[in-house]
Amino acid sequence: MSHHYSGPDFGFPHGDARLDLTDLYAFPKPGEAGKSILIMNVHPSASVNPPGLTTADPFGREALYELKIDTDGDAVADIAYRVRFSASEGGKLTATLRRVEGIQAAGTGDTGQAIVEGAPVSIGREARVTDAGDYRFFAGWRSDPFFFDTQGALNNLQFTGDDFFDDKDVCSIVIEVPNSALGRENLGLWARTLDDVGGKWVQADRGARPQQAVFLTGAENADYLTGEPADDARFVAVFAHSLQHAGGYTPEEAKRVAGTLLPDILPYDPKRPASFPNNGRTLTDDAVDIFLPILTNGKVTGDKVGPHSDLLGEFPYLGPPHKG
């Protein structure tokens, strides 16, 4: 299910839906080659365990939402965009976007150069967009662009084309960034959420490529979500074991394929067209149909579900939420 429900037993990290990273997208801005669109989606509107709706409160006040950018290929962040949320005097939620680079980008904290301050958070269908120099910023509820036959996956990969996410929402952070601020051409991206636990930032979730968490269970899943891409080689054996079980790979081939899935980083060159998994990810890329043949060693090639029809042709590109 992409990276939805990445906590224990299809629950949420730290038991908080607002900390659940669902998807990461990166693509050149349509019609303007000098800018990129970075989208970090969190907080599914519906839960699986237990079934039902999640909280209407979009983002955690005691949370930090980060986009990490590696510019030199060492799987360590050289640039980071950080978003924090707070309540204004009128009780409405606002967002602050900060940018850090160098050693600070690889660390943890909520400091940095303020790019956007006091941006309104969209609760209803209207997209409230904030312009700040060469940047544009949006945060709020939107229609979930991810598409997948979840029930088919739970039914031993017997797919019927029923899109579980067709009427679901997520909370989106969308940033229009000048490519000059990204550092270079060949980048590695990932996103993470952090929780303030006793005055200390604790990583709750992280990811870049969709559906990586299905390879992990129990303590392995917890270690993965709190880990760093630079250390992902330690999970190759775990991924390989899952590939042997699901796809009937030989041990050697399973290890080779697992190595192509790690580290969990999304490659992105803003000067090339985006297409998952080789360069960024657009809102219509069928990540599931790319992932299933890898998982099953070619035995299952798709889930019969296609992109959503409510996407927008302009910023923030995601359709309006179904609820509210």
Side-chain angles (χ1 to χ4, degrees), residues 262-294:
L262 296 166
D264 188 2
I265 289 177
L266 184 69
Y268 179 56
D269 181 348
K271 292 189 176 182
R272 295 169 45 219
S275 179
F276 182 82
N278 297 317
N279 190 52
R281 182 183 175 192
T282 73
L283 297 169
T284 57
D285 283 339
D286 199 332
V288 170
D289 284 6
I290 293 168
F291 173 76
L292 286 173
I294 296 174

Side-chain angles (χ1 to χ4, degrees), residues 143-154:
S143 172
D144 192 342
F146 184 64
F147 46 99
F148 183 40
D149 179 0
T150 301
Q151 295 304 318
L154 297 175

Side-chain angles (χ1 to χ4, degrees), residues 3 10-11 19 35 45 53 59 82 112 124 147 171 188 214 258 282 284 321:
H3 206 66
F10 292 102
L19 297 173
K35 291 186 175 182
S45 63
L53 299 178
F59 301 99
R82 296 168 169 167
F147 46 99
C171 290
V214 302
T282 73
T284 57

Side-chain angles (χ1 to χ4, degrees), residues 146-317:
F146 184 64
F147 46 99
F148 183 40
D149 179 0
T150 301
Q151 295 304 318
L154 297 175
N155 186 29
N156 197 30
L157 302 184
Q158 301 298 308
F159 295 112
T160 64
D162 181 16
D163 184 2
F164 175 82
F165 297 94
D166 185 57
D167 60 351
K168 303 300 190 297
D169 296 326
V170 287
C171 290
S172 299
I173 295 171
V174 187
I175 311 172
E176 182 180 298
V177 183
N179 290 339
S180 59
L182 296 179
R184 53 172 285 177
E185 296 176 7
N186 298 309
L187 308 170
L189 311 178
W190 68 98
R192 68 174 185 168
T193 63
L194 299 101
D195 195 11
D196 185 345
V197 179
K200 180 181 179 181
W201 289 117
V202 176
Q203 184 169 299
D205 201 354
R206 60 106 176 185
R209 298 173 58 98
Q211 299 170 304
Q212 299 285 83
V214 302
F215 291 107
L216 304 151
T217 59
E220 294 165 349
N221 185 65
D223 288 344
Y224 186 82
L225 296 184
T226 58
E228 297 284 348
D231 301 321
D232 277 352
R234 61 183 170 140
F235 296 107
V236 167
V238 178
F239 276 43
H241 178 77
S242 295
L243 288 169
Q244 283 183 255
H245 176 75
Y249 288 90
T250 65
E252 295 77 13
E253 186 67 4
K255 184 177 180 180
R256 184 194 68 78
V257 174
T260 68
L261 301 174
L262 296 166
D264 188 2
I265 289 177
L266 184 69
Y268 179 56
D269 181 348
K271 292 189 176 182
R272 295 169 45 219
S275 179
F276 182 82
N278 297 317
N279 190 52
R281 182 183 175 192
T282 73
L283 297 169
T284 57
D285 283 339
D286 199 332
V288 170
D289 284 6
I290 293 168
F291 173 76
L292 286 173
I294 296 174
L295 178 67
T296 66
N297 200 7
K299 297 179 180 66
V300 179
T301 58
D303 68 340
K304 305 177 183 179
V305 176
H308 294 168
S309 60
D310 60 356
L311 300 173
L312 306 180
E314 59 185 11
F315 195 91
Y317 302 100

Side-chain angles (χ1 to χ4, degrees), residues 64-65 82-86 94-98 110 113-119 121 137:
L64 184 64
Y65 300 84
R82 296 168 169 167
V83 182
R84 283 209 68 181
F85 296 90
S86 59
T94 63
T96 296
L97 169 68
R98 298 183 184 275
D110 59 355
Q113 175 193 0
I115 304 296
V116 175
E117 293 183 278
V121 173
F137 177 83

Side-chain angles (χ1 to χ4, degrees), residues 19-48:
L19 297 173
D20 194 294
L21 170 68
T22 66
D23 286 285
L24 175 65
Y25 301 89
F27 51 90
K29 179 183 178 180
E32 191 169 350
K35 291 186 175 182
S36 290
I37 306 299
L38 308 179
I39 300 177
M40 175 184 182
N41 285 342
V42 300
H43 188 177
S45 63
S47 64
V48 172

